[in-house]
Amino acid sequence: MKRTDSTQATATPTHVHLETFGCQMNEYDSELVRSLMKQDGFVFTDEQERADVILMNTCAIRENAHNKVYKHLSELKKIKRQRPLVVGVLGCMAQNLKEELTEIQPLIDVLAGPDSYRQLPMLIRNALLSQEEGLDQKGLAVDLSEYETYHDVVPDRHDGVNAWIAVMRGCDNFCSFCVVPYTRGRERSRDAEGIILEAHKIAEQGFKQITLLGQNVNSYRFGDWDFARLILAVADVPGIERVRFTSPHPKDFPMPLLEAVVSHPHICKQIHLPLQSGSDRILGLMNRAYTIREYRALVDRIQALRSDIVLSTDIICGFAGERDEDFDETYRLVEEMRFHSAFIFKYSERKNTIAARKFPDDVSEAVKTERVTRLFDLQRNISYGRNREYLKAVLPILVEGDAKRSAAQGMGKSDGNITVIWDKQIVPSQPGDLLSLAIYDASSTTLYAEPPPVS
Ligand code: 5AD
Ligand code: SF4
């Protein structure tokens, strides 16, 4: 087994392969991990076959995220039988399932939770050493911190157009279905000046968009700074064309933030506003701390200020105790709201959460599936209608690269974060370009664009 040691400049570097599962916060955390490990002399590879160390940055939010990780682990078991390999599990699953993972999965050498990445190079080096010596010592770092914000770690960013910045970590909301407060710990905000300085550096590196991340950005507080003040300062950074943020909580959406979105030309006219359920009874059980009336009033306020703001949401179907009439209320509210898009999930009971302790997961799998399918079909029609409203409009589009299906097509995003595709022979484009294109066709997920008519 090759070993990296910062004092041995000539040693063959240790190759690390890192796979990321789950949300944007995890993508961002993987950039932090790459940065911390590279500083320590580790080299990253996209090829699993070349790797001495395989790391998985995991997600625990729903059962299927878990299953993906377990499936991947069983594949690694085969590789580990054939050659020396250090396997590390990072992120939310490491945090939440520490007993289970170390017991059930003897193949795992290192477990590191979201607040322990500074220790990761040391843990990996120890695991490599222990393996060389024929020992089987596990490295475990899963303590949660009240302070860790990685403020001084410059993420190792891949994407050349969008850069993420986590402005806060953790969550104190304790929605009854959600595991995040347990896996990511208490809320803490990163210093505003550090964030703004980083935004300037990002702009100098040529990034055009910044997405500010937090489990509930409305809770951002650092001295005199709140989130509205912060996003305005980031949006003022020269060279940054677009600023997005995710996610705000509907219970405490601040007016100054709405005013910032409405008025600043570089803050995207797009808000992700997780609804979760259209039934007050279920919202109560979910501990969401708002009623449908309040949610509706917030959406009305947003739309009265600017009717072109693109709204998206998250909805859970089949939460514990959800009756047909609760689901009907959700269905009707989705019809009424006409969100541009929605992520629709089946409720997945998570160990240790309030719901898992208090409310039996009593909606059958078949009913959950039926409700998700019905809502999904409804939303697809709504998204289709919403996207057709853009026909003939000329929109500014930030180019991200090639379309997934064909390198002959370019792909970018509208200000409202809708995917746009065009023929590159007709519209040559480079990532980072800001184009002005006319929409000539639309599906429920995609807008199709061409050069605008010459007037
Ligand atoms: N089951 C299903 N969906 C969940 N979410 C969070 N926890 C669960 C769960 N236990 C969804 C919520 C949240 C999104 C990020 O994931 O809709 O807004
Ligand atoms: Fe989970 Fe609720 Fe916190 Fe979002 S606000 S991370 S859903 S507990």
Side-chain angles (χ1 to χ4, degrees):
M1 169 64 64
K2 289 166 276 180
R3 176 151 53 94
T4 302
D5 187 325
S6 41
T7 58
Q8 275 181 279
T10 53
T12 323
T14 303
H15 285 88
V16 183
H17 177 75
L18 171 60
E19 294 251 354
T20 307
F21 300 81
C23 64
Q24 294 168 335
M25 190 63 98
N26 260 17
E27 294 285 347
Y28 178 80
D29 279 0
S30 285
E31 293 175 352
L32 296 176
V33 165
R34 279 204 299 270
S35 169
L36 287 161
M37 303 258 315
K38 279 185 176 176
Q39 272 172 38
D40 218 85
F42 291 92
V43 170
F44 279 78
T45 171
D46 289 337
E47 298 160 57
Q48 186 168 284
E49 307 74 48
R50 287 196 63 203
D52 309 301
V53 177
I54 296 183
L55 302 177
M56 273 178 283
N57 193 0
T58 62
C59 168
I61 200 127
R62 282 173 292 274
E63 184 69 25
N64 54 1
H66 263 226
N67 294 344
K68 272 192 214 155
V69 171
Y70 277 115
K71 187 160 164 261
H72 201 68
L73 281 172
S74 63
E75 284 159 19
L76 294 186
K77 210 179 263 174
K78 287 179 216 145
I79 305 179
K80 205 167 170 175
R81 269 192 224 117
Q82 290 151 11
R83 64 180 179 86
L85 178 69
V86 162
V87 174
V89 173
L90 322 179
C92 291
M93 255 177 101
Q95 190 67 48
N96 201 38
L97 296 181
K98 39 192 181 280
E99 303 89 15
E100 205 179 309
L101 276 179
T102 39
E103 267 170 36
I104 302 180
Q105 303 285 353
L107 108 126
I108 295 167
D109 303 290
V110 170
L111 275 185
D115 289 343
S116 306
Y117 297 146
R118 289 182 198 270
Q119 295 173 59
L120 195 58
M122 178 271 291
L123 292 170
I124 299 288
R125 239 180 294 115
N126 287 351
L128 288 162
L129 253 175
S130 144
Q131 213 164 64
E132 259 178 11
E133 288 163 6
L135 304 169
D136 185 27
Q137 274 169 359
K138 306 275 180 212
L140 191 68
V142 289
D143 286 343
L144 290 171
S145 154
E146 280 174 44
Y147 309 103
E148 181 60 273
T149 58
Y150 299 106
H151 67 280
D152 55 339
V153 182
V154 182
D156 181 49
R157 299 187 163 96
H158 270 336
D159 187 340
V161 179
N162 174 72
W164 287 303
I165 306 180
V167 301
M168 55 175 306
R169 300 178 70 87
C171 182
D172 288 352
N173 286 314
F174 290 92
C175 299
S176 66
F177 52 79
C178 187
V179 79
V180 168
Y182 308 91
T183 60
R184 289 190 167 270
R186 299 288 56 78
E187 268 172 19
R188 65 220 97 121
S189 297
R190 187 182 155 188
D191 65 302
E193 268 130 54
I195 294 169
I196 295 160
L197 209 65
E198 190 168 329
H200 279 276
K201 287 197 193 127
I202 286 169
E204 280 157 25
Q205 288 164 358
F207 288 92
K208 297 286 181 244
Q209 176 175 290
I210 290 178
T211 305
L212 302 178
L213 297 177
Q215 246 71 45
N216 173 14
V217 291
N218 305 349
S219 307
Y220 179 85
R221 289 287 173 288
F222 195 87
D224 295 339
W225 291 80
D226 62 8
F227 188 66
R229 186 173 167 206
L230 179 72
I231 196 169
L232 283 168
V234 171
D236 278 341
V237 170
I240 295 300
E241 302 284 351
R242 288 181 173 179
V243 180
R244 300 188 191 279
F245 61 101
T246 193
S247 292
H249 196 302
K251 77 178 157 93
D252 54 3
F253 197 104
M255 265 316 267
L257 177 58
L258 187 50
E259 279 154 15
V261 174
V262 166
S263 62
H264 200 294
H266 292 173
I267 302 181
C268 291
K269 310 296 164 242
Q270 173 225 346
I271 300 175
H272 185 68
L273 203 58
L275 168 66
Q276 312 301 2
S277 170
S279 149
D280 278 333
R281 197 178 68 84
I282 296 297
L283 287 178
L285 294 176
M286 287 176 162
N287 193 28
R288 289 290 289 176
Y290 53 86
T291 62
I292 293 309
R293 223 175 128 179
E294 286 160 343
Y295 187 94
R296 194 183 268 127
L298 174 59
V299 169
D300 286 348
R301 215 176 304 142
I302 294 171
Q303 285 173 341
L305 279 172
R306 252 192 103 133
S307 59
D308 63 341
I309 287 185
V310 169
L311 282 179
S312 56
T313 199
D314 292 340
I315 294 172
I316 298 176
C317 292
F319 182 67
E322 186 186 78
R323 303 181 195 131
D324 283 343
E325 50 271 34
D326 297 308
F327 175 72
D328 290 344
E329 286 184 57
T330 303
Y331 192 92
R332 282 200 298 274
L333 194 69
V334 169
E335 271 178 325
E336 177 195 324
M337 289 285 144
R338 296 190 71 241
F339 297 108
H340 282 78
S341 62
F343 295 97
I344 300 167
F345 308 107
K346 268 188 222 177
Y347 172 56
S348 168
E349 189 181 74
R350 304 285 73 207
K351 234 185 185 172
N352 301 329
T353 55
I354 300 165
R357 282 181 271 137
K358 285 174 67 177
F359 317 127
D361 180 12
D362 58 358
V363 179
S364 71
E365 191 57 26
V367 170
K368 284 181 187 171
T369 305
E370 193 219 309
R371 289 178 186 168
V372 165
T373 310
R374 276 187 59 202
L375 207 56
F376 186 82
D377 288 345
L378 170 66
Q379 183 57 49
R380 198 183 28 218
N381 281 333
I382 295 171
S383 298
Y384 180 73
R386 282 286 194 192
N387 282 353
R388 305 288 300 175
E389 289 167 14
Y390 291 108
L391 293 180
K392 297 209 168 86
V394 175
L395 301 179
I397 291 151
L398 183 60
V399 180
E400 292 192 356
D402 293 340
K404 273 195 203 127
R405 286 214 197 124
S406 157
Q409 289 177 318
M411 190 278 287
K413 291 281 164 68
S414 71
D415 183 285
N417 210 26
I418 302 171
T419 301
V420 187
I421 280 176
W422 58 91
D423 183 337
K424 271 171 58 182
Q425 266 193 336
I426 302 173
V427 185
S429 57
Q430 292 296 322
D433 290 350
L434 201 56
L435 306 175
S436 189
L437 295 179
I439 306 304
Y440 69 88
D441 199 2
S443 72
S444 59
T445 55
T446 311
L447 304 177
Y448 298 88
E450 61 188 7
V454 227
S455 52

